[in-house]
Amino acid sequence: MLVVGGGIVGLSTAYALTRARPGTRVVVLEKEAGPARHQTGRNSGVIHSGVYYRPGSLKARFAVRGATEMVKFCAEHGIAHRVTGKLIVATERTELPRLHALVQRGRENGIPVRELGPAQIAEYEPHVNGLAAIHVATTGVCDYGAVAAELARLLEAAGAEVRHGAEVTAVDRRPGVGVAVRTAAGAVVRARAMVNCAGLHCDRVARLAGDAPPVRIVPFRGEYHELAPERGSLVRGLVYPVPDPAFPFLGVHLTRGIDGSVHIGPNAVLALAREGYRRRTADARDLAGTLGWPGFWHIARRHWRYGAGELRRSLSKAAFTEAVRRLLPEVEAADLRPAPAGVRAQAVGRDGTLVDDFLITEAPHTVHVLNAPSPAATASLPIGREVARRALAALDATR
């Protein structure tokens, strides 16, 4: 069994394969020199509760289950983590109906939520401004890079192989036989089934296998700032705005990480490269792929005002600070320090639909994970079991 991608979803899938069917040969191919170099290692480290997601969706089911499992995994393997709870705060009256809808959604998903007024908000976060909020007790933080490293260690202890520096450049699929994958170094790996967990490049790997994915990955760079250490006391835990249901992004939020630092962000701007972690990083092939996809132009026409606001906050520290001050009025531009950015691999349909749920598709000898942004790290263990189940069914079908 071959797994392409050594992020947390690929490693969780390989881990699930070794546990579900011990003795199965499992090889993980990762193009980077180590695990968790992209979405897994560049997020805010939040263990999401599942409060936002449509009841019955994969995101809702896997995030709720995954949050519990992630805390347990971290505890069992000595990985830094903390269950802090979080506030979702309404700062304007127009947000109150959406906040109340989140209360209902959380309860439908089996998540305990508590409604708060301004005085109760101050008990949790004295420096945060809000008309009303909900407290979600099951949210926490952890070190996902360490989780990925531990999964890799467990895999190798179970007899699996994790190859780094192994970028997939070609896939030859033979019906009834399996797949042969060639790497940039010229190595060929053969398997009876392949799982594609390539994240930012998952649609390309699917096309290499001869499949026609219904989506294209459009990369959005999420830019973060960090509170100056002397101002870290302004935030005790996790504070989120009320999200806009039209978008899969949660808005600029405040996160006290496992190391005690406070990250603020991210915003969401179109990246000019799939690995465009810096504003000026551009890749002609990636950009042509984005601009050549009809879905991108549908998004641009439909949501240009939202995009313009995100771009303004990207280019102007004053504008970014203004957005933060809605939640944290005492913050000043001088309190914010640049922090490393991440890139979200957002699947977009041909009609411009921003795919909101995890998307897993199957074809002969292959399973493709085509949309697994946040909360995929939280949900990685149940996602891995689901993908492994489908992959083993594909494996059995060839016998």
Side-chain angles (χ1 to χ4, degrees), residues 44 222-228 252-255 261-267 279 313-321 324 331-341:
S44 53
E223 296 166 331
Y224 290 89
H225 286 76
E226 185 175 323
L227 267 185
V252 172
H253 46 271
L254 320 174
T255 306
S261 63
V262 177
H263 278 72
I264 301 179
N267 60 351
R279 187 176 296 154
R313 285 183 283 275
S314 172
L315 297 175
S316 167
K317 188 176 182 181
F320 187 90
T321 305
V324 176
V331 79
E332 302 289 344
D335 299 330
L336 303 180
R337 309 280 192 270

Side-chain angles (χ1 to χ4, degrees), residues 112-165:
V113 296
R114 180 185 173 211
E115 297 181 73
L116 309 177
Q120 294 163 309
I121 292 172
E123 292 175 9
Y124 286 99
E125 295 284 354
H127 302 282
V128 167
N129 170 65
L131 298 175
I134 59 176
H135 180 256
V136 187
T138 52
T139 305
V141 289
C142 74
D143 182 345
Y144 284 120
V147 172
E150 179 65 8
L151 286 170
R153 187 192 70 78
L154 292 170
L155 282 171
E156 291 177 333
E161 183 181 1
V162 181
R163 298 187 191 178
H164 294 116

